[in-house]
Amino acid sequence: MTVRVRIAPSPTGNLHIGTARTAVFNWLFARHHGGQFILRIEDTDLERSRPEFTENILEGLAWLGMTWDEGPFYQSQRLDLYRQAIHSLLDQGLAYRCYCTPDELDEMRAKQKARGDAPRYDNRHRHLTPEQEAAFLAEGRQPVIRFKIDDDREIAWTDLVRGTVTWKGRDLGGDMVIARAASQDDIGQPLYNLVVVLDDIDMGITHVIRGEDHIGNTPKQILLYEALGATVPEFGHTPLILNQAGAKLSKRDGVTSISDFQAMGYTAEALVNYMTLLGWSPPDATQEQFLLAEAAQQFSFDRVNKAGAKFDWDKLNWLNSQYLHAMPSEDLVQGLVPYWQQAGYAVDLAGDRPWLEQVATLVGQSLVRLSDATDMTRYLFDADLPHDEEAIAQLQQAGVADLLAAVQTLLAEQTVPLTEDSAKDIVKQATKAAGVKKGLVMRSLRAALTCAMHGPDLIQSWVLLHAKGVDQARLTAALGIAQAG
Ligand code: GLU
């Protein structure tokens, strides 16, 4: 049997971390077994589905490296299949039209509640006569289609994650709606539980791997598989991603969509690595950093936890920094360019690559996220950056004006491009010429050249500033501040 799995996001929002993590588990499982990973966009909810969310989902999956072998398939283009199936279920007497109004359903539930019963549909329209149906239609009621659920059935499956799961038919809320009322045709709008089953059958899905929040849908879907005469696939329900308080991670927790993580400066490799660890652990549990291909080799559901997985920012940050610190500067620079551009820095990757790579090397080891580089390197890109307050206070100390003047003179005498060695040499000579203490020299030069008291290596920064012709102007400005002090 060839493993065929799918990810089936609804384009009612940006690609959510939970969906992405489910995609990762499906992908790993497919790759482990040499199977297929299929992408299906579940866009039957016409009011809430939007093309920009579909775009975001496709981009996000591609960015993460979740390459799909088939699709994307769009449910909105497959309505004929669903309609045919509904007709067939109606014809076989496995489904029927229910004409209850929302008010009637509310009243039914209110009574059940008053009796202390769980709310459910009481199957009251299961056996309507053609005359009763005609009368409801004459009233202008629009029916929904319900699939019959036998209260006495017991439904069980062996979940890949949770082991044996058993449900009673009577706990499924009564006959379920498989198509919503709609005036444009006699079938209405087919709903999730039905269409997901029809598609999974049609696409030959062998393993349905999805979030635990769908576990209550599975018994209903198994009944539909049976009614449709299809083989029931395997099911695996993956643990939810939880926030620090142990509740399901939601929009209220802030960042939840993959594009947000990307904008914050996480790399796809680190994020995918981290998501893999959200609920799964490799056979060597001490191994926290791995590539997708490695995880695919080792992936199995035996090592997927039942318990929810707490989202841990510290671990994600740590992993991200590991990836960034190990990244060759030519890749790092590629990663940094979008963030620099976003910050408004003029970046010319084609014309300026060597300089940009040196900048990347300079800050690379200090980065936790790619976006950290924008503030860290502002002094290199923004020639008009003013000196900050701390820098001004430093520049106004005694002896600094003489020092800076000496540095300027020595720098003007420089006939070849400044190197780290020649920069160090200038520092040495200027220290002697101005007769000041060495500690004061480095602090003052940092203040003068980088406009701040803290930052990346000073000498390397100076060489980079010099290459851009910014160091003389900074020294002149700093000298002005020093003399005014
Ligand atoms: N469209 C559903 C979702 O986004 C898919 C659930 C499933 O995998 O069956 O949650």
Side-chain angles (χ1 to χ4, degrees):
M1 179 190 67
T2 306
V3 164
R4 287 174 64 83
V5 295
R6 79 322 189 255
I7 186 72
S10 306
T12 53
N14 287 337
L15 178 59
H16 187 272
I17 176 110
T19 309
R21 200 280 316 262
T22 303
V24 172
F25 281 13
N26 273 284
W27 190 95
L28 291 171
F29 187 70
R31 294 295 170 258
H32 182 83
H33 292 282
Q36 268 103 45
F37 173 62
I38 293 152
L39 172 60
R40 181 171 75 226
I41 301 295
E42 303 213 318
D43 57 351
T44 45
D45 186 341
L46 300 175
E47 284 123 53
R48 291 171 60 225
S49 297
R50 300 240 190 85
E52 59 268 30
F53 293 141
T54 300
E55 200 62 30
N56 180 279
I57 290 166
L58 298 185
E59 277 175 18
L61 289 172
W63 179 68
L64 291 170
M66 297 293 104
T67 43
W68 52 91
D69 305 303
E70 292 173 31
F73 298 109
Y74 293 88
Q75 287 189 326
S76 56
Q77 293 167 8
R78 299 166 56 80
L79 288 171
D80 283 348
L81 174 82
Y82 313 143
R83 291 214 172 97
Q84 274 171 23
I86 293 171
H87 275 299
S88 155
L89 290 170
L90 284 168
D91 291 348
Q92 295 173 73
L94 297 169
Y96 62 90
R97 292 185 170 80
C98 161
Y99 295 84
C100 288
T101 63
D103 284 347
E104 285 169 349
L105 293 171
D106 285 348
E107 201 191 312
M108 185 190 311
R109 290 191 187 114
K111 282 190 184 150
Q112 289 162 343
K113 215 172 151 194
R115 285 199 303 269
D117 294 343
R120 74 195 306 269
Y121 174 64
D122 62 7
N123 303 347
R124 63 175 64 173
H125 283 187
R126 230 195 221 196
H127 301 291
L128 293 179
T129 63
E131 293 71 29
Q132 285 171 309
E133 292 208 40
F136 283 136
L137 284 171
E139 276 178 39
R141 295 192 186 201
Q142 281 173 11
V144 300
I145 313 284
R146 287 189 187 267
F147 173 74
K148 290 180 187 169
I149 293 181
D150 181 356
D151 273 355
D152 297 327
R153 266 295 303 266
E154 196 172 90
I155 305 117
W157 75 93
T158 308
D159 197 275
L160 295 167
V161 179
R162 315 188 68 80
T164 305
V165 183
T166 314
W167 283 72
K168 292 205 169 60
R170 70 185 68 258
D171 293 333
L172 297 178
D175 293 343
M176 75 164 141
V177 181
I178 53 172
R180 195 186 288 157
S183 50
Q184 59 265 35
D185 61 41
D186 64 337
I187 290 292
Q189 189 189 336
L191 294 182
Y192 163 72
N193 274 312
L194 176 69
V195 297
V196 81
V197 168
L198 290 171
D199 279 342
D200 284 343
I201 294 171
D202 192 54
M203 295 173 189
I205 300 303
T206 56
H207 297 74
V208 172
I209 298 158
R210 59 184 168 202
E212 191 190 285
D213 44 342
H214 282 289
I215 206 158
N217 289 320
T218 301
K220 297 178 187 173
Q221 294 180 10
I222 289 176
L223 293 176
L224 281 165
Y225 277 97
E226 290 176 3
L228 294 160
T231 310
V232 181
E234 302 269 347
F235 289 95
H237 291 90
T238 56
L240 297 180
I241 303 177
L242 308 176
N243 63 17
Q244 279 314 305
K248 185 180 165 183
L249 194 73
S250 77
K251 281 211 178 99
R252 265 165 287 139
D253 295 303
V255 187
T256 48
S257 69
I258 295 303
S259 45
D260 290 340
F261 284 97
Q262 185 180 8
M264 283 173 80
Y266 292 100
T267 65
E269 293 81 0
L271 196 53
V272 139
N273 187 154
Y274 180 64
M275 284 193 287
T276 309
L277 291 172
L278 274 175
W280 179 74
S281 52
D284 170 6
T286 56
Q287 188 194 5
E288 300 206 290
Q289 204 181 338
F290 40 75
L291 298 173
L292 264 182
E294 285 176 75
Q297 265 177 11
Q298 302 175 333
F299 189 81
S300 77
F301 276 99
D302 308 345
R303 305 195 61 84
V304 173
N305 293 330
K306 287 194 192 64
K310 257 194 194 164
F311 195 88
D312 180 350
W313 283 101
D314 289 341
K315 190 168 219 173
L316 173 61
N317 284 334
W318 175 79
L319 270 172
N320 205 56
S321 66
Q322 296 303 301
Y323 279 94
L324 291 180
H325 298 175
M327 209 180 265
S329 55
E330 58 269 29
D331 295 344
L332 186 56
V333 84
Q334 209 80 38
L336 289 173
V337 165
Y339 298 89
W340 283 330
Q341 283 171 337
Q342 179 123 41
Y345 304 165
V347 179
D348 170 16
L349 188 56
D352 219 7
R353 195 178 251 281
W355 186 82
L356 291 168
E357 276 182 18
Q358 284 168 38
V359 175
T361 309
L362 177 67
V363 295
Q365 296 303 311
S366 316
L367 298 178
V368 173
R369 300 179 307 182
L370 288 163
S371 52
D372 295 340
T374 49
D375 279 348
M376 266 182 215
T377 60
R378 188 177 302 276
Y379 70 100
L380 294 169
F381 288 98
D382 180 0
D384 302 324
L385 186 71
H387 290 84
D388 74 14
E389 270 177 38
E390 272 188 320
I392 291 172
Q394 174 66 33
L395 292 172
Q396 293 185 335
Q397 294 201 14
V400 175
D402 289 345
L403 170 77
L404 295 180
V407 170
Q408 274 209 306
T409 312
L410 290 160
L411 195 56
E413 287 165 5
Q414 182 85 10
T415 51
V416 286
L418 191 73
T419 62
E420 287 185 37
D421 283 343
S422 51
K424 282 181 195 156
D425 218 43
I426 292 178
V427 172
K428 221 182 271 167
Q429 290 183 48
T431 308
K432 213 187 278 166
V436 286
K437 287 211 182 91
K438 199 148 180 249
L440 180 91
V441 177
M442 293 311 270
R443 283 202 306 278
S444 306
L445 264 183
R446 176 176 290 285
L449 290 166
T450 72
C451 305
M453 294 310 298
H454 308 279
D457 182 86
L458 176 60
I459 297 293
Q460 288 173 24
S461 297
W462 187 2
V463 173
L464 287 165
L465 287 164
H466 185 79
K468 288 279 158 202
V470 174
D471 56 343
Q472 277 288 14
R474 286 256 168 92
L475 287 166
T476 304
L479 188 57
I481 294 169
Q483 284 164 344

